[in-house]
Amino acid sequence: MLKFAPRTSTATRVSTPPPSGGAPVVLENLTRQFAATRALDGFSLAIEPGEFVALLGPSGCGKTTALRVLAGFERPDVGRVIVDGAEISDVPAQRRDMGMVFQSYSLFPNMTARDNVAFGLRLRHQRGAQRRSRAAELLELVGLADHVAKYPHQLSGGQQQRVALARALAIEPRVLLLDERLSALDAKVRAELRDQIREVQQRLAITTVFVTHDQEEALSMADRVCVMSRGRAEQIATPSTLYSRPATPFVAEFVGVSSRVNVARTGDSVELFGRDVKIRGDDFRLDLAVMDALLRPEDVDVEAAADGLGVVTHRSFLGATTRLEIGIGGEAVKADVASSDADGFELGTRVRLSVNARDVLVTEQRPVR
Amino acid sequence: MASLELEYSLAPTEPMEPFSTGRPTKRRIRGGRGLVLVIAALYFIIPFYAAMQFSLQDIQGHFSLQPLSQILTAPGFVSALWLSTQLAVATMMITLVLMVPTVIYVHLRMPRFRRVMEVVTMLPIVIPPIVLIVGVLQASPLWLKNSQYLLALAYVVLAMPFVYRSLDAGLGALDLKTLVEASRSLGSGWFSTILRVLVPNLRSALLSASVLTLALVFGEFTMASLDNWTTLPVWIALAPTNNPRINTLVAMIFLLATCLLLMGLVSLDRSKSRHSRRS
Ligand SMILES: Nc1ncnc2c1ncn2[C@@H]1O[C@H](COP(=O)(O)OP(=O)(O)O)[C@@H](O)[C@H]1O
Ligand SMILES: [Mg+2]
């Protein structure tokens, strides 16, 4: 169930330019083949200095591979990595100055939290006292001031992640890379950590790439989200654009909830629930007579009517809104109504539907399975 | 001589099992198993006891600690001990320097090759030492043939089966790929990654590999005698002392010391893994 509501704060956040502390990053036409799978297939992405970009996509779409190419653990077969204007495709990982937080627990088991954080500083020849106090500072930044002397096995999962974050930040990296850090944690810890990462990232104005398959996480944290599918970037946009103006059917279906409705086309519009609605944009020059329209639940208005063609088949309470599933002409359409009005829509209620958006996204029909 | 076989029989079983996970040991020893344990213990203890009783006697056949005091002054003992010590240190160093990076490399880059490695590293056990040393002596250049360290090189080969196994188990317990990558992303090259991250986390594996190598070098007879070096085991078997009790006593002391080292090692690892990482 989606609990995402388009953020109102996104617009204001994007309009203020990101503080320029980090380095700009360009990934250019990256391709990486593993035996039979092409993990990256002409993947390109340009990131502004200090920007927080999320790579979002289903499992196996190449997110981790993209991150590992950027970190220097994986060589692309084709393509270039450019950081701060310089191509670094041939620079080994240990000289890239990128702080990485890994997909699995990665703390050094033989070192305390403080020694873990100080590890990168030791390699940079910082004095003992200086690096210990710097490590303590960073642990305080991630809220672990009381745990500096603990070993990884004495820390909870969430605490270990935070130590790993502090360790990555300690080297003052040019780019911070985070891979699916939060998915293993319980909801509350996850939300806390999410806020903390975002806050630290903004305070330090560090260019950050964050990998996740969780759209809620991507949309709530990132300045921009890059939706990936099969090794390619489908759309790179701010969370609100991504949600309200998905560029491709894949994005429309992957981000947020959409219902597919089979429609007939006439000119530049389609017929939906007995009314003509314009086809969105000109991205889809589909020359088809029959296609599917993709509808957001909030774009569908519901009205109880004895002569309505739809029947409420399912309801779920989401807090402020209640989501109805309506069976209509063999299709299932999701629609949101205010929970205060939900009483009028018991299961089995006959309803009339209409579209309240000015245009709709269309795609070819889903192949029959 | 006897100690050689003993070490081999210890090698494949002892280092493997305790290092891997630290799963809880089963406390309950059922009657049947207890009996087996007693029989096994007797099997080792009776000959040991007999040998000790034989060696700790004076001329009249009464119990005496006097033979102990004669060990150090026995002709050739000190130089044999010194030679074996040198060989042990050299063997350990060469083995670790060769094997640690190799096993790490295999784990990281050629995980499917681990099976092959397992078989290859078993070969020294299958091939009789006498065949090995004759081959080595035939093949080696003269300058090396005259050096005691030829023996160390041969021992490196002999030590491979259990050194490989204990490193393999130690590395298997780590999330090697992630640790290496974490270390590299923080700016550490290969050398310092191995030294600062991997070696400290492989402590018990390295320790057990070292102890087993030590036991091997202090127990190996065939190769040393064919290469004409009076190492400690050769001395024990052949030394022209006028008192055979001393030779037996030395053998028993080293057997005991080896056993204690191994037991210490196992218990050290047990106590460590009891409050060890979950991951
Ligand atoms: N080292 C590898 N060897 C073989 N296949 C790999 C390797 N790394 C990734 N892949 C494959 O590449 C695809 C993309 O993987 P990955 O980048 O990890 O996806 P994601 O992080 O988006 O889940 C997957 O099909 C995966 O199985
Ligand atoms: Mg991944």
Side-chain angles (χ1 to χ4, degrees):
Chain A
M1 263 313 126
L2 179 84
K3 283 182 228 97
F4 171 77
R7 287 177 64 118
T8 46
S9 66
T10 309
T12 56
R13 202 170 65 201
V14 170
S15 64
T16 56
S20 51
V25 173
V26 178
L27 302 178
E28 214 175 78
N29 192 33
L30 298 177
T31 298
R32 179 74 170 99
Q33 181 95 29
F34 292 112
T37 36
R38 181 164 285 193
L40 292 176
D41 186 9
F43 177 72
S44 297
L45 172 65
I47 307 169
E48 305 285 318
E51 195 180 20
F52 190 129
V53 169
L55 300 184
L56 172 67
S59 173
C61 71
K63 307 179 296 288
T64 298
T65 307
L67 206 66
R68 290 171 56 80
V69 166
L70 180 50
F73 296 127
E74 206 73 74
R75 280 187 73 91
D77 303 325
V78 181
R80 303 196 298 164
V81 178
I82 299 159
V83 174
D84 227 352
E87 182 178 349
I88 58 164
S89 306
D90 292 324
V91 178
Q94 61 265 34
R95 280 194 256 120
R96 289 199 179 186
D97 258 336
M98 296 196 184
M100 180 144 176
V101 180
F102 290 82
Q103 192 163 1
S104 49
Y105 294 110
S106 65
L107 295 184
F108 306 130
N110 59 313
M111 299 182 201
T112 60
R114 182 173 44 212
D115 290 345
N116 263 284
V117 177
F119 184 81
L121 302 175
R122 193 168 73 174
L123 293 166
R124 282 162 181 73
H125 306 295
Q126 277 201 15
R127 289 267 178 70
Q130 195 185 350
R131 64 172 191 250
R132 271 191 297 278
S133 71
R134 178 88 185 111
E137 243 171 67
L138 280 156
L139 284 168
E140 197 179 319
L141 182 72
V142 297
L144 290 175
D146 299 336
H147 303 275
V148 286
K150 288 195 180 157
Y151 284 90
H153 72 263
Q154 298 169 310
L155 297 168
S156 72
Q159 290 168 334
Q160 287 190 46
Q161 319 265 38
R162 285 189 270 172
V163 176
L165 178 64
R167 183 177 69 176
L169 290 169
I171 61 171
E172 291 173 20
R174 295 192 294 172
V175 184
L176 179 64
L177 309 172
L178 305 156
D179 194 356
E180 305 259 13
R181 291 321 295 145
L182 316 179
S183 40
L185 304 173
D186 67 65
K188 186 157 164 286
V189 179
R190 192 157 74 195
E192 261 174 42
L193 202 53
R194 187 191 293 176
D195 290 345
Q196 203 164 36
I197 289 175
R198 182 60 187 166
E199 192 195 312
V200 169
Q201 189 269 337
Q202 289 199 311
R203 182 153 9 137
L204 305 177
I206 186 169
T207 310
T208 301
V209 184
F210 177 79
V211 160
T212 182
H213 64 264
D214 181 337
Q215 48 162 313
E216 197 187 333
E217 221 161 75
L219 296 171
S220 65
M221 288 170 78
D223 294 320
R224 284 192 303 156
V225 177
C226 169
V227 179
M228 290 181 71
S229 161
R230 300 214 211 108
R232 306 180 136 270
E234 286 275 328
Q235 184 175 11
I236 305 165
T238 60
S240 64
T241 307
L242 209 60
Y243 187 80
S244 58
R245 315 296 292 179
T248 68
F250 177 84
V251 177
E253 290 198 279
F254 191 74
V255 178
V257 170
S258 295
S259 319
R260 272 179 178 261
V261 182
N262 192 236
V263 289
R265 171 181 181 172
T266 44
D268 63 352
S269 45
V270 293
E271 198 198 317
L272 257 173
F273 313 131
R275 230 195 71 204
D276 278 355
V277 185
K278 272 178 82 88
I279 293 175
R280 179 178 303 168
D282 51 9
D283 304 342
F284 304 101
R285 285 168 288 257
L286 289 172
D287 197 15
L288 298 167
V290 208
M291 47 184 67
D292 280 352
L294 296 170
L295 293 171
R296 295 283 191 217
E298 63 270 24
D299 291 344
V300 179
D301 278 348
V302 194
E303 191 187 352
D307 62 343
L309 297 174
V311 178
V312 177
T313 56
H314 197 80
R315 339 176 339 158
S316 46
F317 177 71
L318 301 179
T321 60
T322 293
R323 177 154 304 156
L324 306 177
E325 205 173 294
I326 292 134
I328 183 165
E331 320 250 16
V333 177
K334 296 189 180 74
D336 285 353
V337 296
S339 289
S340 50
D341 301 337
D343 284 348
F345 301 101
E346 296 300 333
L347 294 187
T349 310
R350 293 213 143 265
V351 293
R352 189 181 298 141
L353 298 183
S354 55
V355 176
N356 67 16
R358 55 195 152 90
D359 48 21
V360 294
L361 197 63
V362 294
T363 176
E364 29 189 302
Q365 271 186 290
R366 174 174 294 167
V368 185
R369 264 169 290 192
Chain B
M1 270 250 236
S3 56
L4 176 67
E5 274 91 54
L6 179 65
E7 258 100 55
Y8 270 132
S9 70
L10 275 174
T13 49
E14 282 296 315
M16 295 249 340
E17 163 223 274
F19 298 111
S20 45
T21 44
R23 61 193 113 85
T25 50
K26 287 174 201 123
R27 289 281 134 121
R28 280 175 301 127
I29 297 176
R30 278 183 244 112
R33 258 193 258 176
L35 188 70
V36 171
L37 204 65
V38 168
I39 292 173
L42 288 177
Y43 185 82
F44 287 108
I45 289 171
I46 290 174
F48 182 77
Y49 175 77
M52 281 309 246
Q53 204 204 22
F54 165 71
S55 48
L56 289 176
Q57 282 178 0
D58 59 18
I59 316 282
Q60 282 84 42
H62 298 122
F63 174 78
S64 157
L65 287 176
Q66 193 207 0
L68 269 179
S69 65
Q70 291 170 356
I71 292 177
L72 280 178
T73 54
F77 170 77
V78 172
S79 67
L81 181 65
W82 175 231
L83 177 61
S84 281
T85 309
Q86 283 175 299
L87 286 176
V89 171
T91 306
M92 268 193 268
M93 278 179 3
I94 299 171
T95 302
L96 293 181
V97 167
L98 278 179
M99 292 298 279
V100 170
T102 306
V103 184
I104 290 173
Y105 187 85
V106 168
H107 268 251
L108 270 181
R109 293 288 154 83
M110 325 164 70
R112 267 181 293 171
F113 196 63
R114 277 171 69 182
R115 283 280 162 79
V116 181
M117 281 292 278
E118 224 158 85
V119 175
V120 167
T121 55
M122 283 302 267
L123 289 179
I125 291 183
V126 184
I127 301 171
I130 190 157
V131 174
L132 268 177
I133 192 65
V134 168
V136 166
L137 284 173
Q138 288 288 324
S140 80
L142 196 65
W143 60 270
L144 192 58
K145 213 183 291 189
N146 290 331
S147 157
Q148 64 195 44
Y149 292 109
L150 175 68
L151 212 44
L153 293 179
Y155 288 165
V156 168
V157 176
L158 283 191
M160 209 163 58
F162 29 84
V163 170
Y164 175 77
R165 256 156 203 74
S166 94
L167 289 179
D168 188 59
L171 283 172
L174 297 176
D175 184 354
L176 186 65
K177 186 164 169 253
T178 309
L179 288 183
V180 167
E181 288 181 351
S183 161
R184 290 184 62 207
S185 80
L186 292 167
S188 156
W190 277 106
F191 185 71
S192 100
T193 296
I194 290 180
L195 215 63
R196 294 181 206 214
V197 176
L198 298 183
V199 165
N201 285 304
L202 289 173
R203 260 215 333 251
S204 60
L206 291 172
L207 204 63
S208 79
S210 304
V211 168
L212 287 163
T213 307
L214 194 83
L216 170 92
V217 174
F218 275 92
E220 202 287 327
F221 172 79
T222 317
M223 288 188 156
S225 70
L226 281 176
D227 198 17
N228 285 324
W229 290 100
T230 307
T231 57
L232 197 72
V234 173
W235 181 87
I236 289 170
L238 306 176
T241 51
N242 48 13
N243 185 355
R245 298 204 163 109
I246 295 185
N247 299 27
T248 315
L249 186 59
V250 171
M252 289 305 116
I253 288 174
F254 275 91
L255 181 63
L256 192 65
T258 309
C259 278
L260 287 178
L261 262 174
L262 284 174
M263 278 157 66
L265 202 69
V266 171
S267 68
L268 185 113
D269 203 77
R270 286 262 163 77
S271 69
K272 221 189 94 205
S273 58
R274 200 166 299 143
H275 37 102
S276 98
R277 55 190 164 264
R278 38 187 167 129
S279 56

